[in-house]
Amino acid sequence: MTHPFRTAVEADDHDAIHALLAEDVVFTSPVAFRPYRGRAITAAIVRGVSRVFEDFRYVREFSGADGRDHALVFEARVGDLAVNGCDLLHTDGEGRIDELVVMVRPLSAATALAEAMGAQFDRIAGEAREEEEGRGRPSGR
């Protein structure tokens, strides 16, 4: 069975992604300096990643026995560099994602991703701030 997060990402449906996130979701990545907590910033980061990754596709999916842990293996490009990665999801008792960990390799691609996301971070932070202040949220690119 395909996880709804995978379906939403593959459809580039950022409203659906937002709806799948718990209010207190924690986003962690090796290219982020610290974990980020909250639906608004996590949704904004996912939108930013969708602008940076090219030729993104999930290639495998695994779920834990209890149905609350999921691993979505993906491939993409950042510029000319191939990226292999995995979205690690944990869901709360209501089925919302309360932990999202993104792992990427190789180091050269992780570095390129960090640089590309860093260049967008003012936009990402602004999108999150707008949502938190009640001015709505961007839904796409």
Side-chain angles (χ1 to χ4, degrees):
M1 185 168 137
T2 301
H3 192 277
F5 183 81
R6 176 180 180 169
T7 302
V9 169
E10 289 176 333
D12 203 30
D13 185 346
H14 293 278
D15 289 333
I17 292 167
H18 187 276
L20 291 166
L21 300 173
E23 189 65 39
D24 61 348
V25 61
V26 176
F27 174 86
T28 309
S29 168
V31 302
F33 294 108
R34 61 180 173 82
Y36 290 92
R37 180 176 297 275
R39 180 185 292 155
I41 189 66
T42 300
I45 290 169
V46 172
R47 282 191 301 274
V49 170
S50 75
R51 293 186 293 260
V52 169
F53 277 155
E54 299 172 48
D55 300 329
F56 179 91
R57 65 195 169 284
Y58 285 112
V59 294
R60 282 190 292 288
E61 180 173 341
F62 306 93
S63 295
D66 67 359
R68 294 181 65 182
D69 292 294
H70 308 274
L72 307 175
V73 180
F74 64 83
E75 296 175 349
R77 285 185 309 105
V78 176
D80 293 334
L81 297 173
V83 178
N84 301 105
C86 186
D87 292 336
L88 302 171
L89 313 175
H90 182 271
T91 55
D92 63 17
E94 297 176 2
R96 288 206 166 81
I97 298 166
D98 59 4
E99 293 177 31
L100 172 55
V101 178
V102 180
M103 302 300 291
V104 293
R105 65 160 303 280
L107 181 59
S108 58
T111 300
L113 177 60
E115 290 171 1
M117 290 298 290
Q120 288 207 28
F121 208 78
D122 286 345
R123 178 178 177 181
I124 290 167
E127 290 175 1
R129 199 169 32 257
E130 285 179 18
E131 179 181 338
E132 289 169 349
E133 294 172 354
R135 291 186 273 163
R137 66 180 183 275
S139 60
R141 296 180 177 262

